[in-house]
Amino acid sequence: RQAKAFNLPKARAKAVPQPESEERRAPESEDDHKDLGPRVRKAMEEFPGYSGEMPPVEAEALWSDTDLHNFFFSSGFIRPKKHAKGK
């Protein structure tokens, strides 16, 4: 005895709205980073597509240029070690 094959419609995945692509987003202006210091903005120039967390305000004064570069290069994962106060 042979089983009958049924022609059932195939299930389709629901369309999930995709985030806007880089091309469709409005270009970032200098006003978007007006609260950042000049050293942080200069470090960001090498990473124009960076869209992660910004470094803390004290980074402008306390972090070295290498610290800023490493922060942006690692998408915010690498941060300098905290120095003990009073030294």
Side-chain angles (χ1 to χ4, degrees):
R1 191 172 181 189
Q2 194 175 32
K4 292 184 180 180
F6 294 98
N7 289 329
L8 298 176
K10 293 183 180 181
R12 293 185 182 176
K14 291 184 180 180
V16 178
Q18 299 295 321
E20 289 185 7
S21 70
E22 291 291 329
E23 297 151 358
R24 290 191 217 162
R25 290 184 189 163
E28 289 186 8
S29 66
E30 289 295 320
D31 293 339
D32 292 343
H33 302 298
K34 64 184 173 193
D35 56 336
L36 299 176
R39 291 182 59 240
V40 172
R41 276 188 262 147
K42 177 131 178 85
M44 285 184 66
E45 287 176 1
E46 191 176 344
F47 307 96
Y50 182 79
S51 61
E53 179 184 355
M54 289 295 135
V57 176
E58 61 269 12
E60 181 70 27
L62 301 178
W63 291 11
S64 69
D65 291 342
T66 302
D67 293 335
L68 291 169
H69 176 273
N70 291 340
F71 178 85
F72 291 115
F73 180 80
S74 68
S75 298
F77 287 105
I78 298 175
R79 294 173 179 251
K81 293 180 181 178
K82 294 183 179 181
H83 299 284
K85 293 184 179 180
K87 283 193 174 182

